[in-house]
Amino acid sequence: MSYRIYNGTQLLGYVDNKSTGINGLLPATSYQLGVTNYNGSRESSKTTINVKTRGIRLIIPVSLTVNSTVTLHYQEYSLGLVPIGTEPAGMFGGGNKRDIQAKVISVDNGKSTVELLEPLESSSTVSIGGINLAKNTSNKLVNVIASPWFFVGSASSKAFNNLPDYQGKYMTVRVWIENPSEDSRVQIWTDKQTIFGNTIKAGQSGYSTASGIIPTGFVDWNLPVGNNSSNKITFGWKEFKIELGNTATPWSPAPEDTQYIVDNTQMTKLQDGSFAAFNGYRAIYFRQ
C-alpha cells in the first residue's frame, strides 16, 4: 500500500511511509494538503487538512510592544548586492519597493521577534521529501571537465562539522550523474569511515546514492569520478541533495535558497538609526 500526497488538486507524488515532509511551502500562506490510499489500481477518497504556514521571523534589537503591528520596508537592488550601510531613505538602485506588515511575537533582553504577515516570495515549487541541507544546488544539468576528484562544495569547508543534531543519525546523499567518461559515484567522508554510493558506469546516467550513520556530526561530501589517474574526466551532474534519514527523496532546493530573507535573521542597526536585514540583493528595513 502506498499513499498519494496532494497540494490542492496537484499530485505531489507517492510515499510508502505514514509520515513525510513537504518542501517549498511559502511562509504566511494557506494550503490544502490531502492524502489517499493507493494500491496500484484503485485510489481511496481524499482526506484533506487546511493549514497555514507561519511567517518569516526577524529579530530587531530594540524593545517593541508585544502583539503590536509594525511596518517594514522591502526593496531589491537590481544593480547587485545590497550596499551595506545604505539608508532606507536613499533607495539608491532599489526597486520592487513595498511595505510589509509584521506582528511583534515576543521581546527578550531588548530584542523583539517580529513575524511577517505575508510572504515576500510570489511563487514556489512544492515537493515531498526531506529537507535539502546542501545550499546552492540545482535541478539544471551542469557539465564539467574535472580531475578524478570533484568536490561538490569544498572538502575542507567541513560544512556539517560539530552539529550535534546529526550525531549518530543517518544521512543520505544523492546526485544525478550524466554520461561520465569513466565510472563515477558519490560518497560521504566522515572522520571514521567512507560511505560509498552506487557506481554509474561510463557512458551511462543515473542517480548515485550513499547513506550511512554519521558518528560525530562531521561530514564532507564529494563526487569522485574515474580512477586515481591524472586524466581529466567529463560528466554532467544535477539534483545534488543531502538529507537526514536513510531514504533518498526527490530533489528540492535548500530552504535558504528559496527564501527572500532567511528565517530568524537579526536585523543590523544602520548609521541613521534604522535597522536592516539583507539576503543577496534583497533588503528589508525597519524604522521606528
Side-chain angles (χ1 to χ4, degrees), residues 10 21-22 25 27 29-30 34 49 58 70 96 112 122-123 131 146 151 159 170 176 253 267 274:
Q10 176 193 8
I22 298 180
L25 301 177
T29 302
S30 296
I49 183 173
L58 302 175
V70 298
N96 195 18
S112 301
S122 59
S123 62
I131 294 175
F151 292 96
Y170 264 92
W176 177 270
M267 302 185 83
S274 61

Side-chain angles (χ1 to χ4, degrees), residues 117-183:
L117 299 179
E118 58 184 281
L120 296 175
E121 301 93 331
S122 59
S123 62
S124 66
T125 302
V126 180
S127 62
I128 58 176
I131 294 175
N132 192 352
L133 300 174
K135 302 177 185 178
N136 301 317
T137 64
S138 175
N139 59 354
K140 296 181 179 179
L141 190 70
V142 177
N143 291 302
V144 297
I145 301 175
S147 61
W149 295 94
F150 173 76
F151 292 96
V152 180
S154 171
S156 62
S157 66
K158 297 182 180 179
F160 292 94
N161 195 19
N162 298 323
L163 295 180
D165 287 346
Y166 297 153
Q167 293 183 16
K169 294 186 178 181
Y170 264 92
M171 298 188 80
T172 297
V173 173
R174 186 172 79 162
V175 64
W176 177 270
I177 301 176
E178 182 92 7
N179 192 28
S181 58
E182 295 189 23
D183 294 357

Side-chain angles (χ1 to χ4, degrees), residues 175-180 182-186 197-209:
V175 64
W176 177 270
I177 301 176
E178 182 92 7
N179 192 28
E182 295 189 23
D183 294 357
S184 304
R185 64 187 177 192
V186 72
N198 57 292
T199 298
I200 306 302
K201 294 292 186 180
Q204 299 183 10
S205 301
Y207 288 108
S208 179
T209 303

Side-chain angles (χ1 to χ4, degrees), residues 9-280:
T9 59
Q10 176 193 8
L11 176 63
L12 298 180
Y14 303 79
V15 297
D16 295 324
N17 299 321
K18 293 184 178 180
S19 63
T20 188
I22 298 180
N23 301 315
L25 301 177
L26 293 177
T29 302
S30 296
Y31 293 90
Q32 185 183 74
L33 304 176
V35 61
T36 64
N37 293 323
Y38 184 67
N39 64 5
S41 60
R42 300 182 62 184
E43 184 176 15
S44 70
S45 59
K46 187 191 303 180
T47 300
T48 61
I49 183 173
N50 295 311
V51 297
K52 184 175 183 179
T53 56
R54 72 163 175 84
I56 290 175
R57 292 181 176 178
L58 302 175
I59 301 172
I60 307 176
V62 65
S63 292
L64 301 171
T65 303
V66 175
N67 292 327
S68 65
T69 300
V70 298
T71 300
L72 306 178
H73 308 284
Y74 174 80
Q75 68 181 72
E76 299 173 359
Y77 291 83
S78 58
L79 299 181
L81 294 178
V82 174
I84 304 298
T86 298
E87 296 182 5
M91 301 293 189
F92 178 77
N96 195 18
K97 305 168 188 173
R98 58 193 176 103
D99 291 343
I100 302 290
Q101 300 301 304
K103 183 178 180 180
V104 181
I105 301 300
S106 64
V107 179
D108 184 29
N109 293 327
K111 296 181 179 181
S112 301
T113 299
V114 302
E115 181 177 315
L116 305 191
L117 299 179
E118 58 184 281
L120 296 175
E121 301 93 331
S122 59
S123 62
S124 66
T125 302
V126 180
S127 62
I128 58 176
I131 294 175
N132 192 352
L133 300 174
K135 302 177 185 178
N136 301 317
T137 64
S138 175
N139 59 354
K140 296 181 179 179
L141 190 70
V142 177
N143 291 302
V144 297
I145 301 175
S147 61
W149 295 94
F150 173 76
F151 292 96
V152 180
S154 171
S156 62
S157 66
K158 297 182 180 179
F160 292 94
N161 195 19
N162 298 323
L163 295 180
D165 287 346
Y166 297 153
Q167 293 183 16
K169 294 186 178 181
Y170 264 92
M171 298 188 80
T172 297
V173 173
R174 186 172 79 162
V175 64
W176 177 270
I177 301 176
E178 182 92 7
N179 192 28
S181 58
E182 295 189 23
D183 294 357
S184 304
R185 64 187 177 192
V186 72
Q187 69 183 47
I188 305 173
W189 286 2
T190 76
D191 64 343
K192 295 182 183 296
Q193 62 180 320
T194 302
I195 303 169
F196 297 100
N198 57 292
T199 298
I200 306 302
K201 294 292 186 180
Q204 299 183 10
S205 301
Y207 288 108
S208 179
T209 303
S211 183
I213 293 177
I214 307 304
T216 64
F218 164 74
V219 57
D220 279 334
W221 60 91
N222 66 319
L223 178 62
V225 291
N227 51 37
N228 290 323
S229 71
S230 60
N231 296 333
K232 294 293 184 179
I233 318 295
T234 61
F235 66 100
W237 68 283
K238 64 178 181 178
E239 297 183 16
F240 181 86
K241 186 174 185 179
I242 182 167
E243 59 190 307
L244 289 171
N246 59 1
T247 303
T249 60
W251 178 86
S252 59
E256 294 87 346
D257 295 333
T258 61
Q259 294 179 353
Y260 275 34
I261 301 293
V262 177
D263 195 39
N264 289 317
T265 295
Q266 179 163 310
M267 302 185 83
T268 302
K269 189 173 183 178
L270 304 181
Q271 293 179 354
D272 69 342
S274 61
F275 301 88
F278 305 103
N279 184 8

